[in-house]
Amino acid sequence: MKRTGSFKLSTTPQQSEAFSVLARLFSDACNEMVAFVQVHRCWNQLELHHLVYYRVREAFPALGSQMVCQAVHRVADAYKSLRARDGIAKDQPVPAITFTPASVTFDHRTYSIRGDAFSLFTPTGRTSVGFACGPRQKTLLAAGKPKEARLTNRKGIWYLNLVFDLPNPAPLPGSLALGLDVGENNLAATSNGRVFRGGKLRHDRDRYLAKRRRLQSNGSRASKRKLKAISGKERRHVRHVNHEVSKAIVAQALQIGASTLRMEDLTHIRAHIQAGIRVRTRLHRWAFRQFQDFVQYKAEAAGLKVECVDPAYTSQTCSVCGGLGKRVKHRFACSCGNLAHSDVNASRNIARFARLSSPARGVVNRPEFAHGVRPRAVESSFL
Ligand SMILES: [Zn+2]
């Protein structure tokens, strides 16, 4: 599993200056490539490399060969995630991405760890820089294998965010699986009947959106600044809620003795949420993705196996008899007598569906929840 450690660097003013120059050159090189990506509709790393490498090398001699490779990598990655997030339509021009000098990517050819210092590439040669090392950083250095890194500047201080490859924790025994449904009406529901409502989250976002609309219609420079501050605040808030809820879900999986956590493949989630634009603007896709990432991250660290299943039919299928039921808002009803919270029903299907493809796994369907449970009784007032 991968974990990132943030190392605060003890830079001299000269080193700080060299990093600033590097960051500027790096982002300029990235921006230089964008036009080629757009014209050739090319974001495959290897193809882009062939397309731009010599040109960029010539234009930015101080960057050196390895840094230019890193820049190509960065641009290709940025377009890949843009494509995964918003899609790039075949008949539409490729959107421009603007790179800022906020961070520089390093790999084993451009940095190394030498005892209690990093040796980092700069346009004026390698430089050795010390770093602060807390308990987390010490553990990572001792147990993990350092991989790629990002040099960033936050409020005038330079950090190296280093990704480590760590051995996976021993898998938990047993065959019990907890199903997790990520919804729109509720943030999440688990197959043992717990519902995590995003009520507070949604209310807050409504407030943010109202404020944002007011500022957007204003259009002045001050209101644009304010807008930026608000969206940062909003992001941090969603992040906080996602952290808390994912933590609670993993704790629950451990509590019931599950060894597997199963959820839907969220790359498809937009397709099966049928909602008006007003609802859709509330929780953007990144919030779902972040939530799933957090769940996966925490689950794997706890030794849970994480599986993603095809979300098709998880919401209309009855988790008791397998027939087609009726879903009206947060109620699910089936002619077999199953009456459940619709998200809980979906999460049970998620647990069940994968069992069909790998029969060794079990389903968390506690008998008291299997038939006609009153949804209200199991709702959690987590938020
Ligand atoms: Zn049924």
Side-chain angles (χ1 to χ4, degrees):
M1 68 181 178
K2 300 231 161 135
R3 288 293 176 271
T4 306
S6 193
F7 294 80
K8 189 177 174 182
L9 304 179
S10 338
T11 47
T12 64
Q14 289 79 14
Q15 285 173 325
S16 189
E17 175 59 25
F19 290 159
S20 297
V21 171
L22 173 64
R24 168 63 63 188
L25 284 171
F26 190 83
S27 63
D28 285 351
C30 289
N31 288 324
E32 182 94 358
M33 295 175 206
V34 169
F36 291 91
V37 174
Q38 289 181 297
V39 171
H40 297 271
R41 305 187 74 86
C42 165
W43 41 84
N44 172 285
Q45 195 187 329
L46 198 66
E47 284 169 30
L48 186 61
H49 182 99
H50 287 312
L51 206 59
V52 298
Y53 177 77
Y54 287 106
R55 209 182 298 255
V56 176
R57 270 290 272 142
E58 221 163 85
F60 301 89
L63 266 187
S65 151
Q66 298 309 334
M67 268 300 163
V68 172
C69 292
Q70 288 298 313
V72 172
H73 195 159
R74 169 74 74 86
V75 173
D77 271 359
Y79 271 96
K80 257 175 235 151
S81 31
L82 173 84
R83 189 161 168 244
R85 202 177 57 236
D86 306 328
I88 299 176
K90 282 211 167 70
D91 54 347
Q92 293 291 315
V94 176
I97 295 179
T98 306
F99 293 86
T100 63
S103 71
V104 182
T105 330
F106 285 75
D107 72 354
H108 67 278
R109 289 166 301 192
T110 43
Y111 87 88
S112 58
I113 306 169
R114 299 265 164 85
D116 53 3
F118 293 121
S119 165
L120 295 168
F121 172 93
T122 74
T124 45
R126 284 259 184 167
T127 188
S128 179
V129 55
F131 56 84
C133 198
R136 178 179 160 80
Q137 285 83 353
K138 276 203 183 89
T139 312
L140 288 170
L141 280 170
K145 193 171 174 231
K147 309 296 268 188
E148 68 270 20
R150 245 180 212 215
L151 178 72
T152 64
N153 191 302
R154 284 201 304 272
K155 294 182 179 162
I157 295 163
W158 290 95
Y159 295 84
L160 192 68
N161 295 334
L162 200 51
V163 176
F164 289 88
D165 212 352
L166 290 161
N168 290 323
L172 291 165
S175 59
L176 208 61
L178 182 73
L180 170 67
D181 176 69
V182 179
E184 181 82 20
N185 297 321
N186 298 286
L187 188 55
T190 56
S191 55
N192 68 331
R194 197 157 164 203
V195 177
F196 297 87
R197 289 191 281 185
K200 172 90 165 49
L201 184 67
R202 212 153 59 191
H203 169 77
D204 286 356
R205 286 190 63 100
D206 280 351
R207 232 178 43 215
Y208 286 130
L209 282 175
K211 212 186 270 182
R212 197 151 77 176
R213 265 195 296 274
R214 274 202 307 279
L215 289 166
Q216 259 164 356
S217 61
N218 183 321
S220 72
R221 186 178 282 187
S223 67
K224 271 184 191 143
R225 227 180 3 249
K226 187 91 209 246
L227 199 62
K228 210 175 153 193
I230 285 178
S231 57
K233 202 173 160 193
E234 183 180 339
R235 238 191 339 265
R236 283 191 294 279
H237 177 68
V238 173
R239 190 183 173 83
H240 171 75
V241 172
N242 281 349
H243 260 307
E244 292 299 313
V245 176
S246 57
K247 201 160 83 185
I249 283 164
V250 169
Q252 195 179 111
L254 297 177
Q255 199 193 333
I256 61 160
S259 62
T260 304
L261 201 144
R262 211 166 274 150
M263 53 190 172
E264 288 171 302
D265 184 349
L266 288 195
T267 47
H268 305 293
I269 199 159
R270 300 309 297 177
H272 85 277
I273 291 178
Q274 290 179 355
I277 185 105
R278 213 184 83 82
V279 174
R280 273 188 278 126
T281 51
R282 291 182 183 184
L283 275 170
H284 302 286
R285 190 200 292 230
W286 68 264
F288 287 122
R289 194 172 287 267
Q290 183 184 62
F291 179 63
Q292 189 188 37
D293 284 348
F294 285 0
V295 170
Q296 178 162 9
Y297 177 95
K298 293 183 211 299
E300 283 174 353
L304 284 158
K305 191 173 167 201
V306 178
E307 289 177 353
C308 288
V309 303
D310 186 342
Y313 311 116
T314 50
S315 61
Q316 303 107 300
T317 307
C318 171
S319 61
V320 175
C321 72
L324 217 59
K326 255 205 172 115
R327 183 180 180 153
V328 180
K329 284 195 177 166
H330 59 270
R331 303 263 167 175
F332 179 88
C334 178
S335 53
C336 76
N338 177 26
L339 177 71
H341 189 289
S342 54
D343 294 345
V344 171
N345 179 67
S347 70
R348 287 180 184 153
N349 280 328
I350 292 164
R352 199 171 62 91
F353 278 1
R355 187 181 60 150
L356 297 175
S357 59
S358 52
R361 287 172 215 303
V363 189
V364 180
N365 260 359
R366 287 198 283 160
E368 67 265 37
F369 292 128
H371 286 275
V373 65
R374 283 178 301 119
R376 284 278 161 214
V378 295
E379 271 194 19
S380 146
S381 53
F382 184 83
L383 291 168

